[in-house]
Amino acid sequence: MSAVEQIRVEADETGLRLDRWFKIHYPGLGFGHLQKLLRSGQVRVDGGRAKTDTRVEAGQLIRVPPMGVDAGRPRTAVLTSNTMRDKHDGDVLSQMLIYEDEKVFVFNKPAGLAVQGGSGVARHVDGMLEAWRNRKGEKPRLVHRIDRDTSGILVVARTRGAAVSLTKSFRERDTKKLYWALVKGVPAPHEGRVSTYLVKEQTRDGDRMRVARHGEEGADHALSHYRVVDQVAQAFAWIEMEPYTGRTHQLRVHAAHIGHPILGDPKYFEHDTNWEFPGGVQQRLHLHARRIVIPHPDGGRRIDQIAPLPPHMVQTWNLFGFDEAAEND
């Protein structure tokens, strides 16, 4: 780079420390070199001096002088329900794809994209899969679902035989599905299980699940496990959730049932009138299907895939200083 550049901070970079921002954009730049540039005022944020621990915000302009190091690979546009609007179905599927072999596709579904059609749904994954019919005319098949507003792992079978095998694995619960969520408050104990019966009810805002009364007709058993990964004082908690059963909205209902609803949940988040939504956090559902471990249709091994967080959760994780590596602690 031979000239001064002004680079605008992206929405999913909000909350990043300035040194981490440079590490992403200019991986060859040493920390000591960056400190010298900051001390001399050559690197500025919105025209003002900054430090390595300055946290950047979306829309800010970062002045980057000639540094003699190569920039990282250009950032690709983040896939969201808005950015995919003018893209061809096949292109959207390609950008969602995180794993494939002869029998299976694994996608990272963005929040806001429905898996199947329904009332008021113009575009959905099942319809988009028409673009990926194979030479025999076979369309890839859905084998499970995740909520429209939930992002993350979605497994799709490429053949009829693979669909039978994968569906059996889900039905017999021979799969491990892990979700990440941000909830209000901090659950106590930090690890636990939630076991209830759930029933669907009609409301003015559409179908909604609720915890059933003892012996209520039409109720199904739902079992979830949770673990607190990190927290912000006693105000918020990053939790990992594992559904043992697969009921509609199960994790969302269970989080609310234990008194710690998922932030941004339009159906199940309730709070008192004195509570304010945290600044810098988007009012979108903070629930992400992070990981799946499932037997491969051919047998003998398991598919184990992790889906990166969606932009609104990246922003929140940066804001709260959550370290994704902490999930393994």
Side-chain angles (χ1 to χ4, degrees), residues 9 53 70 93 125 146 162 165 176 188 190 208 285 307 314 323:
V9 177
D53 62 354
D70 292 331
L93 292 172
V125 175
I146 57 176
S165 176
K176 184 180 182 70
H190 279 197
R208 175 186 168 98
L285 180 66
V314 170
D323 181 0

Side-chain angles (χ1 to χ4, degrees), residues 222-243:
L223 176 63
S224 306
H225 298 264
Y226 73 86
R227 176 177 70 93
V228 175
V229 181
D230 204 350
Q231 64 189 76
V232 180
Q234 292 299 313
F236 308 102
W238 159 17
I239 65 173
E240 181 180 81
M241 303 186 77
E242 181 177 358

Side-chain angles (χ1 to χ4, degrees), residues 38-90:
L38 288 165
R39 283 198 299 266
S40 62
Q42 295 182 70
V43 168
R44 291 174 177 263
V45 177
D46 275 353
R49 288 180 175 267
K51 298 180 179 180
T52 55
D53 62 354
T54 296
R55 293 194 179 270
V56 299
E57 297 180 5
Q60 288 182 324
L61 287 175
I62 299 180
R63 181 187 189 276
V64 181
M67 297 183 300
V69 297
D70 292 331
R73 290 180 297 176
R75 290 169 56 87
T76 56
V78 176
L79 190 64
T80 67
S81 54
N82 287 328
T83 62
M84 74 170 65
R85 188 170 298 161
D86 299 322
K87 292 179 179 288
H88 183 271
D89 286 349

